[in-house]
Amino acid sequence: MSLGVPLSWLSEGVANHELWAIVLRTLQVSGTALAVSALIGIPLGTALALTRFGARRWIVALVYTGMGFPPVVVGLSVYLLLSRQGPLGGLEWLFTPSAMVIAQVVIALPLVAGLTMGAVESVDPDVRLLLRALGASPVQEALGLVAEARQGVVASLVAGFGGIISEVGAAMLVGGNVEGSTRVLSTAIVLETRQGAFGMALALGGVLLALTFLVNLMLMRLQGTPWWSKG
Amino acid sequence: MSAPCYELHDVRKAYGGKTVLAVDHLVVHQGETLAIVGPNGAGKTTLLRVLNFLEQADQGRIWFEGSLVPYPAPLHLRRRITTVFQRTVLLHRSVRDNVAYGLGLRGEHDERRVDQVLRHVGIEHLASMPAQQLSGGEAQRLALARALALRPDVLLLDEPTANLDPPNVAAIEAIIGDLPLQDGITIVLVTHNLFQARRLADRVAMLLGGRLVEVAETARFFAGPEDPRAAAFVRGEMIY
Ligand SMILES: Nc1ncnc2c1ncn2[C@@H]1O[C@H](COP(=O)(O)OP(=O)(O)O)[C@@H](O)[C@H]1O
Ligand SMILES: [Mg+2]
């Protein structure tokens, strides 16, 4: 098969309204899941790095387990949770983008929290003393340490995003790959491949790669001097 | 007479069952420069951490300007005190942002103050450099500038010229020596350099095994300390 096939598919795809809808939906679902994971995972990871309390060991073990959890098992659990007979069946979220966001948060949150914890823990312990001596309140101290760990914290977001934007098992199970509603890039690739449309599948793969690359470039901008912890 | 800057009573600190600080009584007067001398492991750094309220003593009481200080100490009190640490720690930011950091924590954004202290310590030409790229002498000047920017009432200096070459030692001593004249600041200077203590301090205290064995006016301390161990230390003899 020549390279001309995927390229022609791609040029057709660019004009294709559904392709752009899929790209946008992919960004919406995974972007929301990453935002939620960051909002919970960065403070959680920081707290786990900086405090010592009884239940900490168990939470850390849970986070580490979550970091290596098979996405398809996450999908199955969320499916059972949201299915008609499940405890959250009343929400009627199964096969909606909301269900996909939930599954993706469960996948990304442990990655963000666990890697943030490691990054904050590896900051020179004397920095903590320095921040206090400069007059940091406890909250300012935590922000200052996250700022010092920003390379690793951003890496945790990159890992979390990478883990969900390309993920297919959970997205398929809880989203259902419904055209015009829950079809995202990864599930679309599976569908096209199954139908023998390898050119389109490859083109979509290229789009997925480009998208991941662009988002990572944006995330890396956060590694510069942080505006949110000027002190 | 106003209350002393610090008054310590029976302050003790142990690490892993080993007592490293056992100060029965210590007064630090307002506006004085008090040098703390003593061999490695004497507890000098631990004493400074306690004085900056960064670490809780296991027992004992500390008065600051006549008021008993609880632990954790209130933020507004902690913000009147700062330490230049023995090992220089620089934030991963520019030189200027390092100096501005403590002011920022107080919600102050005073560019002129930052420029002023950078000039004061002679590193204004390095302002936009990443702090991590500074040499040892420059880094130590930055650490001093970062503390001075806060206009602290109490400045705790932990061996501020250790590991520096003579020109840098002289420059930093000159800056420290001028501070009391300008600001009426109280300085506690930890040093293992007896000559430095002699040049800069109003009084000298000697720590040995966590205990104060001698506290005296600088001239008297060097003329003839009462404690035999302090006398041996002044003569440059080994003590344990
Ligand atoms: N955070 C700590 N944990 C355990 N031991 C410590 C700690 N800080 C200091 N020590 C011990 O306390 C003693 C006094 O240390 P320090 O105050 O640093 O002495 P100095 O500054 O006079 O050299 C040393 O034996 C040191 O090993
Ligand atoms: Mg020390």
Side-chain angles (χ1 to χ4, degrees), chain B residues 40-41 43-46 86 158-159 190:
Chain B
N40 281 337
K44 306 183 295 294
T45 296
T46 305
Q86 186 167 3
D158 199 351
E159 310 206 10
V190 164

Side-chain angles (χ1 to χ4, degrees), chain A residues 10 41 56 108 138 177 180:
Chain A
L10 185 59
R56 179 184 177 276
N177 197 23

Side-chain angles (χ1 to χ4, degrees), chain B residues 152-176:
Chain B
D153 295 322
V154 180
L155 181 60
L156 307 171
L157 300 168
D158 199 351
E159 310 206 10
T161 61
N163 312 318
L164 294 186
D165 55 354
N168 272 307
V169 172
I172 290 200
E173 277 191 15
I175 294 165
I176 296 170

Side-chain angles (χ1 to χ4, degrees), chain B residues 94-196:
Chain B
S94 69
V95 168
R96 158 178 295 281
D97 285 352
N98 265 271
V99 173
Y101 199 85
L103 292 171
L105 294 173
R106 290 157 176 76
E108 295 169 25
H109 300 280
D110 188 344
E111 291 297 318
R112 280 184 41 216
R113 177 69 185 158
V114 174
D115 289 333
Q116 193 188 340
V117 290
L118 283 172
R119 244 179 287 123
H120 188 176
V121 303
I123 55 169
E124 70 273 30
H125 56 292
L126 305 172
S128 46
M129 277 241 292
Q132 260 66 27
Q133 289 176 13
L134 299 188
S135 71
E138 291 161 351
Q140 192 59 31
R141 286 165 193 250
L142 170 53
L144 190 57
R146 190 170 54 189
L148 294 178
L150 306 175
R151 299 182 203 275
D153 295 322
V154 180
L155 181 60
L156 307 171
L157 300 168
D158 199 351
E159 310 206 10
T161 61
N163 312 318
L164 294 186
D165 55 354
N168 272 307
V169 172
I172 290 200
E173 277 191 15
I175 294 165
I176 296 170
D178 280 344
L179 290 176
L181 307 173
Q182 295 167 8
D183 302 323
I185 188 174
T186 303
I187 299 176
V188 179
L189 166 71
V190 164
T191 180
H192 56 233
N193 181 340
L194 288 173
F195 297 104
Q196 182 168 76

Side-chain angles (χ1 to χ4, degrees), chain B residues 56-82:
Chain B
Q56 183 171 23
D58 300 331
Q59 73 174 64
R61 282 177 292 177
I62 303 172
W63 284 265
F64 187 82
E65 295 178 348
S67 311
L68 190 62
V69 180
Y71 192 94
L75 189 59
H76 67 86
L77 172 56
R78 272 209 289 126
R79 285 184 172 172
R80 297 178 52 197
I81 308 164
T82 194

